[in-house]
Amino acid sequence: MVEREAMVERFGDAQLSKKTRAAAAALLKVALLPLFGVLALSLQIEPLHAAAYRASFAPVGEEASIPYGWMDFCTRQPQECNQPVLPPQDVALTAKTWKLLEKINAEVNASIEPISNLDHWGTLADHWDYPIDGKGDCKIYALEKRRQLIERGVPRQALLMTIVKDHHNMGHTILTVRTDKGDFILDNLTDEILSWDETGYHFLKRQSQEDPNVWLAILSPASGRKISAR
């Protein structure tokens, strides 16, 4: 009888021990569940972010002519053009930076009333300016995005006014954002930010990273000519 009671006691202890271990394991699982969830979510999201931020760099070559509109803009906004020559600097493309680019692109696109250069200024001469009256064409959108991003700490050398031919072979101005992940485009025709080579545009020239008053030709990606990282 004593042996039987001892066996029951030991068996009961074993059962209690098993239950205790199971309860502890369950509590630990519950405690670690949020961490596992975060890790799983991170593993799912990071590759998507990496893909979204992947682009290429537009190849640039020799100096090109300075757009008349930029030179005219400098006479009215000299502080924008009387700038020192600086070493090239790309912006680090983090999730925070991406959200900022999306925010500025969409907000400026929504805040300016589109109007042609002729209807706005009464002249065919290319007129670049800030949206002082809330209206403007592509140049005004691009300049305003550039100004707002500089005010938020994005380096000037990474924000490059760019001239292209659009899908209708018409002249069009956009803003290139040079990042450590490639060149991305802020365009008044869409709120979506695309890699420069996803736009379908024919790229002509853009500002140098070092000097906003120097413009560089943009080469075809297939060109065999020597290119510059500027």
Side-chain angles (χ1 to χ4, degrees), residues 116-132:
S116 70
N117 189 85
L118 177 60
D119 291 339
H120 195 189
W121 308 108
T123 177
L124 291 174
D126 212 10
H127 188 100
W128 294 29
D129 211 333
Y130 292 124
I132 53 178

Side-chain angles (χ1 to χ4, degrees), residues 50-65:
Y53 298 159
R54 191 176 301 116
S56 63
F57 296 95
V60 295
E62 302 302 322
E63 286 192 24
S65 60

Side-chain angles (χ1 to χ4, degrees), residues 67-70 73 76 108 112 115-118 120-121 123-131 135-147 161-164 171-175 186-188 215:
Y68 165 80
W70 176 260
F73 174 69
R76 284 172 282 102
V108 172
I112 298 175
I115 186 173
S116 70
N117 189 85
L118 177 60
H120 195 189
W121 308 108
T123 177
L124 291 174
D126 212 10
H127 188 100
W128 294 29
D129 211 333
Y130 292 124
K135 301 177 183 180
D137 63 359
C138 54
K139 284 91 64 176
I140 280 71
Y141 286 87
L143 284 169
E144 181 63 15
K145 292 170 189 178
R146 179 178 180 271
R147 175 168 69 172
M161 296 292 290
T162 305
I163 307 296
V164 302
H172 185 46
T173 302
I174 53 180
L175 183 68
L186 274 56
D187 190 346
N188 66 295
W215 288 68

Side-chain angles (χ1 to χ4, degrees), residues 139-220:
K139 284 91 64 176
I140 280 71
Y141 286 87
L143 284 169
E144 181 63 15
K145 292 170 189 178
R146 179 178 180 271
R147 175 168 69 172
Q148 291 195 23
L149 287 170
I150 290 174
E151 289 174 350
R152 286 164 174 78
V154 179
R156 183 202 79 197
Q157 305 98 300
L159 302 171
L160 311 173
M161 296 292 290
T162 305
I163 307 296
V164 302
K165 291 285 188 179
D166 65 13
H167 301 145
H168 304 289
N169 203 36
M170 301 294 291
H172 185 46
T173 302
I174 53 180
L175 183 68
T176 295
V177 181
R178 171 102 180 182
T179 81
D180 57 353
K181 301 294 191 301
D183 293 341
F184 290 91
I185 301 304
L186 274 56
D187 190 346
N188 66 295
L189 299 181
T190 177
D191 289 345
E192 184 179 8
I193 298 175
L194 298 174
S195 170
W196 76 281
D197 53 1
E198 293 178 332
T199 62
Y201 294 152
H202 175 58
F203 282 68
L204 301 177
K205 56 187 173 183
R206 76 180 189 195
Q207 289 174 310
S208 161
Q209 284 192 274
E210 294 100 324
D211 187 342
N213 301 306
V214 172
W215 288 68
L216 303 171
I218 300 176
L219 309 179
S220 165

Side-chain angles (χ1 to χ4, degrees), residues 25 106 111:
S111 67

